[in-house]
Amino acid sequence: MPEINAPRRLDGLLRSVRGHIRTLGLPRPDRLVISTPSGSVHAEFTSGTAPDRLACLLVWAASLHGVELTWTLQAAGTLFVAATGRTASGVTLGLTASASVVELGGKVKSGSGAVLAKAFRLAVCTPEQVTFDEVAQVVQAARKSAPRLAVAA
């Protein structure tokens, strides 16, 4: 019997997510993974500039209820941002975006972590809860530093 319900469940999740995107005018994710057993959806933002990827994640996060945001600095100098929340229809949604610290106008400190937006010090491989406003501050700082990075290159 579960095999018969799986297609219906998939159709319902797809309708719900598509409706969420269309109703709120959200940017389309680059990758969407739907799990029918758990009823969850995962969206990834991988294209565009580093600040744009994080901004897309924030726009989506703002559309969800009960949002939790975390960021983690990976050893390669990449910031990984994840968010989880629920749509108004109750679908659990996970979001991810990543970007190089340098692309975000930050500085990688050899062996000790990185500094973003001249305010946030991150240790390597240490997930931290973060606020919407803190991620937005990193996006703004990255957009301001982008013209300088282009001139330097």
Side-chain angles (χ1 to χ4, degrees):
M1 192 76 142
E3 301 86 28
I4 296 171
N5 291 331
R8 286 191 191 136
R9 179 136 174 123
L10 178 59
D11 288 343
L13 287 168
L14 277 170
R15 263 193 309 277
S16 180
V17 171
R18 287 174 63 181
H20 188 73
I21 292 170
R22 287 181 180 157
T23 301
L24 300 172
L26 297 173
R28 291 183 184 252
D30 297 298
R31 185 174 191 193
L32 197 62
V33 178
I34 299 173
S35 172
T36 54
S38 67
S40 65
V41 177
H42 178 81
E44 295 179 29
F45 302 94
T46 58
S47 62
T49 66
D52 288 346
R53 291 190 300 270
L54 295 184
C56 285
L57 181 139
L58 288 177
V59 168
W60 271 71
S63 75
L64 301 175
H65 302 281
V67 175
E68 291 185 20
L69 283 159
T70 59
W71 61 21
T72 307
L73 177 64
Q74 297 174 339
T78 301
L79 179 69
F80 181 81
V81 181
T84 57
R86 291 189 178 273
T87 65
S89 63
V91 174
T92 301
L93 197 60
L95 310 166
T96 58
S98 61
S100 158
V101 168
V102 173
E103 285 181 293
L104 293 170
K107 294 184 180 170
V108 177
K109 306 287 185 177
S110 62
S112 64
V115 177
L116 287 167
K118 298 180 183 177
F120 306 106
R121 287 169 176 54
L122 294 105
V124 176
C125 297
T126 307
E128 296 179 34
Q129 294 255 206
V130 66
T131 67
F132 184 92
D133 290 338
E134 289 168 333
V135 178
Q137 188 176 341
V138 169
V139 169
Q140 282 184 315
R143 288 195 168 138
K144 287 180 183 174
S145 70
R148 286 197 317 260
L149 290 175
V151 171

